[in-house]
Amino acid sequence: MFNFSAGPATLPLPVLKKAQEELVLYPGAGASVMEISHRSKAYDAIHAQAKQNIASLLDLTDAYQVMFLQGGASLQFSMIAMNFLAGQSADYIHTGSWASKAISEAKKHGEVKVAWNGKEENFVRVPRNDELKLDPNAAYVHFTSNETIQGVEYPVPPEVGGKPLFCDFSSSFLSGPVDVSKFSLIYAGAQKNVGPSGVVVVIVRKDLLERVPQGLPSMLDYRLMAENDSLYNTPPCFSVYIVGLVTSWLLEDMGGLEKVKAHNQKKAQLLYFAIDGSGGFYRGHAQKDSRSLMNVTFRLPEEALEKEFIGQATAQGLDGLKGHRSVGGCRASIYNAMPLEGCQALRDFMVEFQKKKG
Ligand SMILES: *Cc1c(COP(=O)(O)O)cnc(C)c1O
């Protein structure tokens, strides 16, 4: 079947096959990846390779550190605030469900100023730069590159006038090239685009770590985690291993992020073209200039039809198309690992369904 689930999501088939091959006996380790010490040479190489792959894909300089942490992107909402907000204020751009959670958590640790709020428009777009109300004294500006639930994505990152820019990249990480030099901190739960659940990739500018206050719980202290190369305690070894395989696949099989982006655009265009060409039978949630390449959200004329659509699609091997419970409708999550054929099959199904019911 084609799996359009929002996360945990489709992984590349070559990655699953390789993991299967190596599951019982990791080459040179005499045991499974899940059975070896995180202080072993074999794991060291896995850890280093995953970091190196991410650095290569994003052209990272030495100014940045890649970390593998736990607690998901959700714990990053708190960790960011505990490390960089205490006693200050920060600007948050509110574009939907995930930005909202980031804001709620940050408020527990400092002052949050909402630089723009898309709520009144029902979160159908990202802001223009001239709409942002930025505070010159903000410790940082936080935004969500892709709102997984609403299907709203920034085509380019916001301009924030030199303020440290923090981004929740969970659902569009490594979906295309990014100029990381514009960012101070990026985090992404792996299970949308780069691996299984259990690990969150954090990329931080090393000079930012000087601001981390003393006395934080060790597991929530970026500086300590960085000093220990994410090996302060046992890391999620198996998840990091799969992130390594996925990022190798992005580099070697897909040919880097420019090509990944072109592939993603082609896939998303198939679906948006079907929506736009349906004469209003399918209605996209996001405004055209804020449409997500990763999560295509749309509605049908009635809820009953949406139910039927989802049911019939599942029966035909197109699974996971139900929209998030908070917004309803349909959502096709088409991350990096979704093949073009999956989007073609969904497009064909949409056309057929409309012929029967439209
Ligand atoms: C899924 C998601 C999260 C939450 O990730 P967890 O790993 O479940 O904590 C946060 N932000 C965005 C944009 C997401 O898509």
Side-chain angles (χ1 to χ4, degrees), residues 109-315:
H109 303 280
E111 192 185 348
V112 169
K113 294 184 177 164
V114 176
W116 183 81
N117 192 338
K119 188 161 193 238
E120 272 180 22
E121 297 174 39
N122 197 22
F123 300 124
V124 293
R125 68 179 180 98
V126 299
R128 297 185 311 270
N129 287 325
D130 64 16
E131 292 175 300
L132 297 176
K133 288 207 179 66
L134 298 174
D135 172 6
N137 296 316
Y140 58 85
V141 182
H142 180 281
F143 79 105
T144 311
S145 70
N146 180 65
E147 287 285 358
T148 322
I149 290 175
Q150 279 78 16
V152 164
E153 183 176 8
Y154 288 81
V156 289
E159 294 290 341
V160 298
K163 280 274 144 201
L165 187 58
F166 288 16
C167 181
D168 175 0
F169 245 110
S170 294
S171 51
S172 56
F173 188 55
L174 304 184
S175 67
V178 177
D179 179 1
V180 178
S181 71
K182 291 191 169 153
F183 295 84
S184 292
L185 189 145
I186 283 172
Y187 60 101
Q191 73 273 20
K192 309 289 164 53
N193 226 352
V194 291
S197 60
V199 64
V200 49
V201 181
V202 177
I203 302 174
V204 63
R205 266 191 75 101
K206 289 174 186 165
D207 57 6
L208 200 71
L209 297 171
E210 289 156 22
R211 296 195 201 171
V212 173
Q214 298 297 329
L216 289 177
S218 300
M219 290 299 294
L220 299 175
D221 183 325
Y222 284 119
R223 186 169 42 211
L224 189 70
M225 288 296 146
E227 280 167 5
N228 288 278
D229 192 17
S230 317
L231 289 155
Y232 171 76
N233 74 326
T234 317
C237 301
F238 189 75
S239 297
V240 172
Y241 159 70
I242 300 286
V243 167
L245 294 185
V246 172
T247 46
S248 290
W249 173 80
L250 288 173
L251 279 166
E252 287 150 28
D253 298 38
M254 296 297 288
L257 296 185
E258 292 284 352
K259 291 196 176 144
V260 168
K261 173 95 178 237
H263 189 238
N264 284 330
Q265 280 171 329
K266 206 164 153 191
K267 290 183 323 193
Q269 271 162 16
L270 275 177
L271 301 184
Y272 287 123
F273 194 74
I275 290 169
D276 294 340
S278 73
F281 183 74
Y282 300 108
R283 280 171 296 119
H285 173 79
Q287 275 186 15
K288 285 190 183 173
D289 53 6
S290 297
R291 280 174 163 175
S292 169
L293 295 185
M294 300 283 102
N295 311 95
V296 178
T297 46
F298 56 97
R299 311 250 13 184
L300 276 71
E302 295 156 30
E303 254 178 63
L305 267 181
E306 288 168 346
K307 248 189 155 162
E308 221 181 317
F309 177 91
I310 292 159
Q312 286 189 22
T314 306

